[in-house]
Amino acid sequence: MKIRRIAAYRVELPLREGSYKWSGGKAVTVFDSTIVRIDTDGDLTGWGEVCPLGPFYLPAYANGVRAGIAELGPHLIGENALELGKLNHRMDAALKGHAYVKSGIDMACWDLLGKAAGLPACVLMGGRFGDDFALYRAISQESPEAMAGRVGGYRREGYRRFQLKVGGDPDVDIERIRAVAAQLQPGDRLVADANTGWRMHDALRVVRAVRDIDVYIEQPCLSYEECLTVRRHTDHPFVLDEVIDAVDVLLRGHADRAMDVVNIKISKFGGLTKARQARDLCACLGVAMTLEDSWGGDIVTAAIAHFAHSCSPEAFFSATDFNSYVTVSTADGTPQRTNGRMAASTLPGLGITPKMEVLGKPVLVIE
Ligand code: MG
């Protein structure tokens, strides 16, 4: 099944809460998402999506997705969309790095593979474990009281896992963690995600000050080495995110015992094919995972659902339902959160049907 045409659509996704804030004063109010469409000579169409968390989170930006696809796309016309290992090999040969550019193309080809096989993507990725899986809710950086209030509200909506955006003034961050922890009930999980925002001395003060609290510490500092220093001075469970973007650093982290949990974001690894390699490796190594993406709307959420639902429960930590954070829906058939949990579609491929009236005309067509 040969790739005949690649198109990209640009969609704006405003945030339901108005804005999303994290370390260092970084904030987004409207996300710029790229939806990728791949048409084949077999008359099947596949869909993918890439949505960076602004231009200042990872080395990725929204216009870069489109520019990258314009560069890479011509090398993929005529390639077999269903041979995903070979297709990724071709993408890496034609464009070095730029993992996030490749993610939407790879995702669309998983959608095609499922449609061609008549199977949901989660079945092809390993199988559906259980009825559904647990989601976490990211709590945008605000005052300690406001964040505690948000956690209380989202808890009433069914979430039991919360990821606090800290990485600000360490003294306020200590208050944030304490205020939120006071809201929690047995069985809840709390993660304090500094998103690289602390220096080592700040992080060491925070972990000591919250030593009596059951909280995971996520990506305290910018570099792997700084995070490892903090890790070696705390007994809190430890999560790495921004610095884990490929199998080599994952293996290094495992050898150093640098983390207990990693966040595998689909576009950070370059698509579902590579994210799945990392996921299955982590499962073998005993490292738990949050399975997600940098951001996205309905199509990314559908992909996350298949990726998460096919992860063994022992290795699974949490996943994200980005479509509930934004006000614009781009596809029908996307899974919706129920009581803090979600399940992948049982339809072939990703199981979604894009809303063409929302997507509008493509901003880029390669054929
Ligand atoms: Mg994180």
Side-chain angles (χ1 to χ4, degrees):
M1 186 176 292
K2 287 183 178 166
I3 296 173
R4 182 172 60 76
R5 181 175 180 269
I6 300 172
Y9 301 76
R10 180 179 178 275
V11 179
E12 293 195 342
L13 303 174
L15 274 155
R16 204 171 286 282
E17 284 186 6
S19 73
Y20 183 73
K21 303 189 188 83
W22 68 102
S23 74
K26 293 188 272 293
V28 172
T29 53
V30 179
F31 283 95
D32 180 343
S33 191
T34 300
I35 291 177
V36 180
R37 169 182 180 158
I38 297 186
D39 294 304
T40 63
D41 63 355
D43 288 334
L44 287 179
T45 296
W47 295 90
E49 181 182 10
V50 184
C51 185
L53 184 56
F56 31 50
Y57 172 63
L58 292 171
Y61 67 106
N63 278 322
V65 179
R66 271 101 58 178
I69 291 170
E71 177 74 27
L72 182 59
H75 298 277
L76 306 179
I77 300 299
E79 293 290 319
N80 190 329
L82 307 185
E83 298 183 346
L84 280 151
K86 199 174 153 194
L87 186 76
N88 272 271
H89 186 267
R90 179 80 190 116
M91 288 200 283
D92 289 342
L95 179 67
K96 189 174 176 69
H98 300 276
Y100 72 111
V101 166
K102 300 164 185 170
S103 186
I105 295 168
D106 177 79
M107 195 182 286
C109 290
W110 273 94
D111 188 31
L112 283 165
L113 182 64
K115 286 169 176 168
L119 293 168
C122 62
V123 171
L124 297 170
M125 286 184 209
R128 185 184 296 267
F129 285 92
D131 295 331
D132 56 13
F133 54 86
L135 299 163
Y136 80 82
R137 188 77 191 190
I139 307 297
S140 178
Q141 193 174 101
E142 294 182 81
S143 69
E145 302 72 34
M147 292 174 84
R150 293 274 191 205
V151 165
Y154 284 122
R155 201 179 184 291
R156 285 190 287 281
E157 290 185 21
Y159 287 101
R160 303 293 303 274
R161 293 162 197 223
F162 305 96
Q163 188 197 78
L164 296 191
K165 291 301 172 189
V166 289
D169 178 323
D171 293 310
V172 180
D173 286 336
I174 292 165
E175 289 179 44
R176 289 180 171 117
I177 295 167
R178 289 207 168 276
V180 168
Q183 297 279 324
L184 300 182
Q185 296 184 16
D188 292 352
R189 299 282 181 93
L190 179 61
V191 177
D193 185 1
N195 286 111
T196 76
W198 292 326
R199 293 290 177 272
M200 283 185 286
H201 66 101
D202 298 327
L204 293 172
R205 285 186 59 239
V206 175
V207 296
R208 188 183 303 180
V210 301
R211 195 160 183 197
D212 59 313
I213 293 175
D214 180 9
V215 58
Y216 293 63
I217 302 297
E218 178 170 333
Q219 190 76 38
C221 304
L222 186 60
S223 71
Y224 173 87
E225 290 76 11
E226 290 167 289
C227 289
L228 185 59
T229 298
V230 178
R231 156 73 163 180
R232 287 178 171 160
H233 287 83
T234 178
D235 58 4
H236 287 288
F238 210 81
V239 186
L240 287 180
D241 185 351
E242 283 89 331
V243 294
I244 303 289
D245 58 3
V247 163
D248 56 349
V249 69
L250 198 53
L251 287 171
R252 182 182 175 201
H254 177 66
D256 289 339
R257 303 296 183 262
M259 71 283 177
D260 307 293
V261 182
V262 292
N263 291 3
I264 299 186
K265 294 180 158 77
I266 296 167
S267 59
K268 188 173 62 171
F269 279 77
L272 284 163
T273 301
K274 289 180 179 173
R276 180 190 176 213
Q277 287 173 345
R279 182 196 73 179
D280 293 349
L281 177 64
C282 284
C284 293
L285 297 175
V287 175
M289 290 163 280
T290 285
L291 303 173
E292 55 172 354
D293 209 329
S294 50
W295 204 271
D298 276 322
I299 298 174
V300 157
T301 300
I304 291 170
H306 288 283
F307 188 41
H309 213 146
S310 55
C311 178
S312 66
E314 299 79 15
F316 179 81
F317 185 71
S318 63
T320 328
D321 60 325
F322 285 119
N323 61 343
S324 79
Y325 290 64
V326 298
T327 60
V328 170
S329 168
T330 55
D332 291 315
T334 306
Q336 305 294 323
R337 178 182 83 238
T338 307
N339 206 19
R341 303 179 70 84
M342 203 164 69
S345 169
T346 54
L347 297 175
L350 297 181
I352 51 101
T353 306
K355 296 176 177 174
M356 297 313 296
E357 70 279 14
V358 176
L359 269 52
K361 291 207 179 331
V363 293
L364 175 70
V365 175
I366 298 154
E367 50 195 345

